[in-house]
Amino acid sequence: MHKVESFALSCNSKISKPFIEFNFFPVLSKKFICISQSSKEDSRNYDFFDDVLYHINPYLKENNIDIVEIGESNNTSAFYSKNFKNLKRNQCNYILSKSLLYIGNLNYYSNVASILNKPIVSPCNIDHLDLAKPYWSKSDKCTIFMSDENVKPSFSAKENPKTINDV
């Protein structure tokens, strides 16, 4: 059972598609993907987004696709990305609505991308996949990478070493 279904069951309510607020924010790029390193818990924070971007950047450059980073994060900005980390959530929602893809941690923005029917690529480690994946995503538009599906999740906010980095 997904977390949203569990919450709805405990509140005796029905699940409906949420309404997302948008505030315009100009992005000069015509084609771009969004990345978010935002995470409230250290064990959910993937440390190798720079490596991922390094490997996909040649394809993105070839197709004139930029990288836009959204979401508050204490991490340094990702390689090759345009920094939009200090925007309000409604502005980030607008930017995400115009993007081609969301890459990042499972967080608020992965769920917004799910509601907007955007393709999602995320690492996951400390939750069961059925609990954590963005609820409104179609299975063909949401790719979640796990280090080992046979390992039981820790549900821990701090891990040493972090299993999410095994992805």
Side-chain angles (χ1 to χ4, degrees), residues 44-62:
R44 295 179 189 272
N45 191 12
Y46 186 63
D47 294 333
F48 299 111
F49 283 120
D50 287 338
D51 294 334
V52 171
L53 295 179
Y54 173 80
H55 289 289
I56 66 171
N57 192 49
Y59 169 81
L60 297 175
K61 274 189 175 182
E62 183 180 306

Side-chain angles (χ1 to χ4, degrees), residues 11-165:
C11 296
N12 195 24
S13 60
K14 292 183 180 179
I15 301 169
S16 61
K17 192 170 182 180
F19 177 77
I20 303 295
E21 291 274 336
F22 301 102
N23 284 353
F24 173 78
F25 191 86
V27 179
L28 299 178
S29 306
K30 291 186 181 186
K31 295 191 309 185
F32 62 92
I33 63 171
C34 285
I35 182 169
S36 175
Q37 299 182 72
S38 176
S39 176
K40 293 191 186 231
E41 297 172 345
D42 184 54
S43 61
R44 295 179 189 272
N45 191 12
Y46 186 63
D47 294 333
F48 299 111
F49 283 120
D50 287 338
D51 294 334
V52 171
L53 295 179
Y54 173 80
H55 289 289
I56 66 171
N57 192 49
Y59 169 81
L60 297 175
K61 274 189 175 182
E62 183 180 306
N63 292 287
N64 296 321
I65 300 172
D66 291 327
I67 303 167
V68 172
E69 184 168 3
I70 58 174
E72 292 182 23
S73 173
N74 293 332
N75 297 352
T76 58
S77 294
F79 286 161
Y80 313 111
S81 70
K82 296 178 180 179
N83 185 352
F84 288 84
K85 295 191 308 185
N86 296 322
L87 298 180
K88 303 288 184 204
R89 281 191 170 181
N90 291 353
Q91 294 170 321
C92 290
N93 293 347
Y94 177 81
I95 291 171
L96 194 52
S97 73
K98 302 299 180 189
S99 72
L100 301 172
L101 168 77
Y102 170 80
I103 297 176
N105 295 320
L106 291 175
N107 56 21
Y108 169 80
Y109 298 108
S110 63
N111 286 290
V112 170
S114 169
I115 294 163
L116 297 172
N117 201 27
K118 298 291 180 182
I120 299 168
V121 178
S122 291
C124 179
N125 71 324
I126 63 168
D127 285 323
H128 288 289
L129 186 55
D130 293 338
L131 292 174
K133 69 181 178 186
Y135 185 75
W136 290 273
S137 288
K138 295 177 181 159
S139 60
D140 64 331
K141 289 213 170 189
C142 184
T143 304
I144 308 294
F145 291 102
M146 298 187 75
S147 58
D148 187 357
E149 293 181 15
N150 298 323
V151 174
K152 292 182 180 180
S154 69
F155 301 106
S156 175
K158 290 243 184 228
E159 287 184 321
N160 190 12
K162 292 191 323 187
T163 57
I164 196 167
N165 290 334

